[in-house]
Amino acid sequence: MRAIWGRVTGAVFGAFDKAWTSICWPLIGFLNLIFRPDPQSGDVSSWKVLLWLIANAAVLSAAVLDLGDRPLFWTLIFFLGVHILIIMSSLRIMHEERRVMEGSLAADKMTFSALDAVNNVSILASSTAFYIFGLAALIQTVERAGLAQILRSRPTLPNEYSEYLACILNEIPIVNTLLNAWANLAKFSDNLSAQIVYNGMTGNAVRVFIVVTLSIIVIRAFLLRFQQWSHEVSMAHALENGTVSPDAVKTRLVRVPTTLNSHLMKAALTHPDTAVRRRALSAMARLEVPNFARDFIDKLGNHIERDLGLAHIRETLASMNTSARESMAGELTASIEKQMSTIKDAIDMQTRQRLEELRSMLRRA
């Protein structure tokens, strides 16, 4: 009986996994085409994120402000579908990243890449906000257009949209407590939650949908992101303290996360302990942090451990094949020439010698 149950649950999970992948794959590919994330770090251009925010805000504004003339019911359905799929896709990637970190999944067996645009923090955060705001706009659209009566009563707030938004926010744990406290202090309502009453089967079905999507998908995505962040901070401290080797950490990572990168760079630049600075530099080189060589050389004047960092870069270049070194040449040559031009006194002659070695290696590529 247990074996049959195991096969049934395995088949159900497999079908769900395939369906999830099939739904998310087209959107992930489309967003990668639009945003063109950095292939090494997953970073997205700020101006593209800004355009994304403006375009989505325009759709929401049209839905909220023009309800009397043009109810945008189907547009909002599509709008919400896109954003919940972005959150689901990011959730899938974060789940697989966690499995890689735990050692239960090989990095090359991940369904999607951790560097996909949907896994970018800015896009994930904006999609979460737009999904919440969009739900409020959809309920307002449905009721104003006379398509259905979802709410029997709602709180009295400064404007109609804020009343619908309060109904959505009331379904989010912790946020509902803060919302009630604000409404009470601002003298809008003694008990805001008590004023929200859903209407019949339709209204309560909508409420269940809101709670399920917000609790199971949206909040889980943010909890996973927070868990990742805390693990990255712990890894950074372990590397700085020397309690774990860079090679051991490398086997647990799909990519070098921004949090880990920034913590190590800060330790390499400013930590008062020489041993910690050196361990941080060594870890960044061993973990093959994206753009480490370029960023280090660009900030060469700020580094105390210049010689050690340049030595790590030299070792990395020496271990590369010809094509990889040629690619690095295009990335590093301008930075090296810029730093060479700033070296004027004899104190920095050792730094000049290291830079000349790097330049010579890149020219031979």
Side-chain angles (χ1 to χ4, degrees):
M1 187 67 179
R2 184 176 297 177
I4 295 174
W5 176 250
R7 286 197 295 269
V8 170
T9 54
V12 170
F13 178 80
F16 174 74
D17 186 67
K18 288 180 180 178
W20 191 355
T21 302
S22 300
I23 292 170
C24 294
W25 180 83
L27 179 64
I28 290 175
F30 180 68
L31 290 179
N32 284 340
L33 188 64
I34 293 175
F35 288 104
R36 302 281 184 180
D38 186 291
Q40 289 186 309
S41 64
D43 292 338
V44 174
S45 300
S46 299
W47 67 269
K48 291 182 179 179
V49 175
L50 180 60
L51 288 177
W52 168 257
L53 295 175
I54 292 171
N56 283 278
V59 174
L60 264 181
S61 299
V64 173
L65 300 177
D66 298 333
L67 285 175
D69 299 324
R70 290 173 293 141
L72 299 176
F73 176 76
W74 291 110
T75 303
L76 280 170
I77 291 292
F78 178 78
F79 177 87
L80 291 171
V82 167
H83 288 295
I84 197 64
L85 282 177
I86 288 174
I87 300 168
M88 289 176 65
S89 301
S90 182
L91 180 61
R92 172 63 177 269
I93 292 170
M94 287 188 287
H95 173 68
E96 290 191 338
E97 275 195 286
R98 188 185 67 177
R99 289 185 61 196
V100 172
M101 193 175 292
E102 292 170 347
S104 61
L105 179 70
D108 58 355
K109 299 297 183 182
M110 285 184 64
T111 308
F112 302 115
S113 170
L115 304 176
D116 286 330
V118 293
N119 206 33
N120 181 274
V121 174
S122 300
I123 296 173
L124 174 61
S126 65
S127 285
T128 301
F130 285 127
Y131 182 72
I132 292 170
F133 294 146
L135 282 173
L138 180 64
I139 295 176
Q140 185 183 27
T141 300
V142 168
E143 293 204 335
R144 287 284 296 272
L147 299 174
Q149 186 65 37
I150 295 172
L151 292 164
R152 189 179 304 160
S153 68
R154 60 179 189 269
T156 303
L157 294 175
N159 61 69
E160 188 179 64
Y161 177 71
S162 65
E163 295 171 1
Y164 286 101
L165 182 59
C167 296
I168 302 299
L169 296 176
N170 189 61
E171 305 302 334
I172 304 175
I174 301 176
V175 175
N176 56 3
T177 303
L178 297 174
L179 182 66
N180 275 277
W182 168 79
N184 185 276
L185 292 172
K187 301 189 184 305
F188 287 120
S189 172
D190 292 333
N191 188 348
L192 184 140
S193 294
Q195 293 182 302
I196 301 172
V197 181
Y198 287 83
N199 183 53
M201 288 291 294
T202 302
N204 283 283
V206 170
R207 184 182 189 182
V208 169
F209 174 81
I210 292 169
V211 171
V212 168
T213 55
L214 290 179
S215 301
I216 296 179
I217 300 174
V218 177
I219 295 176
R220 179 168 170 75
F222 269 86
L223 287 175
L224 266 178
R225 179 66 72 176
F226 177 78
Q227 189 179 44
Q228 278 188 333
W229 175 82
S230 63
H231 283 166
E232 291 159 17
V233 172
S234 297
M235 282 182 178
H237 288 312
L239 288 166
E240 292 164 13
N241 296 328
T243 56
V244 67
S245 70
D247 292 331
V249 170
K250 190 175 180 179
T251 61
R252 300 285 183 173
L253 294 177
V254 180
R255 60 194 169 99
V256 179
T258 303
T259 302
L260 179 59
N261 186 0
S262 62
H263 270 73
L264 290 176
M265 182 62 83
K266 184 177 180 181
L269 282 171
T270 63
H271 202 283
D273 189 332
T274 301
V276 172
R277 290 198 305 270
R278 292 184 173 182
R279 281 195 292 266
L281 277 173
S282 178
M284 292 179 79
R286 298 285 290 279
L287 291 174
E288 300 176 7
V289 171
N291 305 321
F292 162 66
R294 186 192 65 198
D295 291 345
F296 184 88
I297 293 172
D298 283 342
K299 299 175 182 176
L300 196 60
N302 299 329
H303 285 284
I304 300 173
E305 305 292 340
R306 298 183 191 179
D307 192 56
L308 182 63
L310 292 173
H312 280 307
I313 294 172
R314 186 183 184 284
E315 290 174 9
T316 302
L317 289 175
S319 66
M320 289 180 174
N321 57 37
T322 304
S323 60
R325 203 177 300 155
E326 286 175 354
S327 175
M328 288 293 288
E331 182 180 332
L332 297 182
T333 300
S335 297
I336 291 174
E337 295 297 338
K338 179 182 176 182
Q339 292 297 333
M340 293 269 300
S341 66
T342 63
I343 297 175
K344 297 178 180 178
D345 52 47
I347 297 175
D348 288 335
M349 288 309 295
Q350 188 171 8
T351 301
R352 174 186 284 275
Q353 183 180 352
R354 288 287 192 188
L355 289 171
E356 286 177 346
E357 289 176 2
L358 294 179
R359 183 168 64 177
S360 176
M361 291 179 71
L362 293 173
R363 283 177 175 173
R364 291 198 305 267

